[in-house]
């Protein structure tokens, strides 16, 4: 199937419901590979000629819609990097649209059971409103603790205390639908790819480190999070949030050893200092 290029200005809801050819069909595509690992990376690589249709429209942030496997509907992948032309072709690196959730912040909470935890994650999210969550795991007793602001995808897996670590199961990413299933089903034969020789990042256009807001917090002497307010850098419909640990910026005790944690206002002010240095 020919990949279709979609505009970055559309919301996730609009992208999911867009049945048109968007900006256009990438008819000149010479290679398009989707790779997925169980509970791991879900990415796309695409080679495209500089003489191909819509070449000039291929930019970081835009979305490619493509059939990723025989069983699932067409999936969307957001372009992260575009290499400089080499021998007349560029290479496009894109992540599944669910990677947008890596820049969605989830506030601290505690819960018990898989279904209840998914519900708490949804209600504690800042951003990601167009994503839905589902689990068929029946565990209703195991405790789950999110002790500091973290990204949604970090809470799903890849670290101690994540959803997969506590409840087990397999993640299924279907555009804006996130499911933690007891068993995803059959092996679809998708390729697992590691160790790709990526072009030097200095030679690429990329959006990997772009954030539009900062969520500051500190961990006090009792290992509890004190959370500031969301600090907007760029006004957008859907923020890309950096969870900023400012613990090292504050002395949590006075000379007598008494706890003197910073106020929310002090945390916010320190976050603004951080932002001013980065802009």
């Amino acid at each position: 199937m020919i990949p279709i290029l979609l505009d970055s200005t559309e919301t996730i809801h609009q992208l999911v419901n867009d049945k048109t050819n968007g900006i256009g069909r990438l008819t000149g595509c010479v290679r398009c590979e989707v790779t997925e690992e169980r509970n791991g990376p879900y990415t796309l690589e695409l080679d495209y000629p500089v003489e191909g249709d819509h070449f000039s429209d291929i930019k970081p942030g835009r979305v490619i819609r493509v059939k990723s496997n025989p069983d699932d509907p067409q999936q969307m992948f957001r372009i992260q990097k575009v290499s400089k032309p080499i021998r007349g072709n560029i290479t496009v690196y894109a992540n599944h649209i669910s990677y947008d959730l890596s820049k969605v912040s989830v506030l601290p909470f505690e819960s018990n059971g898989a279904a209840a935890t998914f519900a708490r994650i949804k209600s504690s999210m800042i951003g990601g409103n167009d994503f839905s969550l589902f689990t068929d795991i029946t565990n209703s007793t195991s405790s789950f603790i999110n002790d500091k602001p973290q990204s949604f995808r970090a809470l799903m897996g890849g670290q101690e205390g994540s959803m997969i670590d506590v409840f087990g199961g397999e993640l299924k990413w279907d555009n804006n639908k996130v499911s933690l299933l007891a068993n995803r089903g059959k092996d679809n034969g998708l390729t697992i790819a590691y160790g790709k020789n990526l072009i030097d990042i200095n030679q690429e256009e990329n959006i990997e480190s772009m954030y539009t807001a900062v969520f500051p917090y500190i961990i006090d002497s009792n290992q509890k999070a004190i959370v500031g307010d969301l600090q907007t850098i760029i006004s957008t419909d859907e923020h890309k949030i950096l969870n900023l640990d400012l613990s090292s910026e504050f002395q949590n005790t006075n000379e007598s050893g008494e706890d003197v944690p910073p106020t929310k206002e002090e945390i916010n002010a320190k976050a603004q200092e951080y932002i001013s240095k980065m802009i």
Side-chain angles (χ1 to χ4, degrees):
M1 178 185 172
I2 296 173
I4 295 171
L5 184 66
L6 304 175
D7 200 343
S8 58
T9 60
E10 293 187 90
T11 65
I12 299 295
H13 178 77
Q14 290 170 328
L15 287 167
V16 169
N17 291 282
D18 187 343
K19 307 304 180 186
T20 72
N21 284 327
I23 294 173
R25 292 157 63 86
L26 300 179
T27 55
C29 181
V30 295
R31 179 181 71 94
C32 183
E33 294 182 358
V34 173
T35 64
E36 183 182 14
E37 180 191 1
R38 178 181 177 272
N39 292 337
Y42 196 2
T43 60
L44 174 149
E45 286 188 18
L46 180 152
D47 291 339
Y48 204 76
V50 297
E51 301 297 331
D53 291 342
H54 303 290
F55 163 77
S56 61
D57 296 318
I58 301 175
K59 301 178 184 299
R62 288 184 169 166
V63 172
I64 295 172
R65 187 172 70 218
V66 68
K67 187 75 171 172
S68 62
N69 65 62
D71 299 317
D72 291 336
Q74 296 174 356
Q75 297 294 304
M76 297 181 297
F77 295 81
R78 192 176 297 281
I79 299 172
Q80 300 297 308
K81 304 176 186 177
V82 180
S83 74
K84 295 297 182 183
I86 298 176
R87 292 186 291 277
N89 289 335
I90 59 169
T91 298
V92 177
Y93 305 98
N95 291 334
H96 190 265
I97 199 69
S98 62
Y99 277 64
D100 282 14
L101 289 166
S102 64
K103 294 180 181 178
V104 166
S105 187
V106 183
L107 296 175
F109 71 90
E110 296 184 16
S111 62
N112 293 299
T117 298
F118 249 21
R120 286 298 304 275
I121 288 175
K122 181 65 175 177
S123 65
S124 302
M125 288 165 56
I126 299 178
N129 296 328
D130 289 339
F131 285 87
S132 64
L133 313 182
F134 169 79
T135 183
D136 65 0
I137 293 177
T138 57
N139 181 326
S140 61
T141 57
S142 295
S143 298
F144 185 90
I145 300 174
N146 177 29
D147 58 1
K148 61 186 178 183
Q150 297 189 68
S151 81
F152 177 95
R153 283 189 68 104
L155 285 182
M156 289 300 102
Q159 64 180 18
E160 184 178 353
S162 68
M163 286 289 288
I164 291 173
D165 187 43
V166 174
F167 300 110
E170 299 177 308
L171 286 163
K172 181 175 177 62
W173 311 99
D174 179 8
N175 289 320
N176 65 332
K177 300 174 184 177
V178 181
S179 300
L180 181 61
L181 305 175
N183 192 329
R184 274 187 62 170
K186 67 180 182 180
D187 182 355
N188 288 320
L190 298 178
T191 303
I192 300 174
Y194 287 108
K196 295 286 185 180
N197 293 319
L198 303 183
I199 305 302
D200 189 312
I201 196 166
N202 294 323
Q203 295 180 314
E204 299 172 344
E205 295 180 76
N206 74 87
I207 63 165
E208 227 169 47
S209 60
M210 187 185 76
Y211 295 92
T212 64
V214 166
F215 205 100
Y217 69 96
I218 68 106
I219 303 298
D220 67 15
S221 56
N222 296 314
Q223 299 304 303
K224 298 292 186 182
I226 301 177
V227 180
D229 297 311
L230 186 71
Q231 306 294 309
T232 298
I233 303 170
I234 302 170
S235 295
T236 59
D237 291 333
E238 190 73 33
H239 278 307
K240 296 178 174 64
I241 300 171
L242 171 66
N243 295 305
L244 180 63
D245 185 353
L246 293 170
S247 302
S248 62
E249 299 292 325
F250 295 95
Q251 187 75 32
N252 287 333
T253 58
N254 61 20
E255 293 180 357
S256 301
E258 299 170 318
D259 286 338
V260 285
T263 64
K264 177 181 286 190
E265 289 72 24
E266 289 173 328
I267 293 173
N268 291 340
K270 190 64 69 172
Q272 283 297 320
E273 289 180 23
Y274 174 87
I275 291 170
S276 65
K277 292 176 183 176
M278 299 300 294
I279 295 178

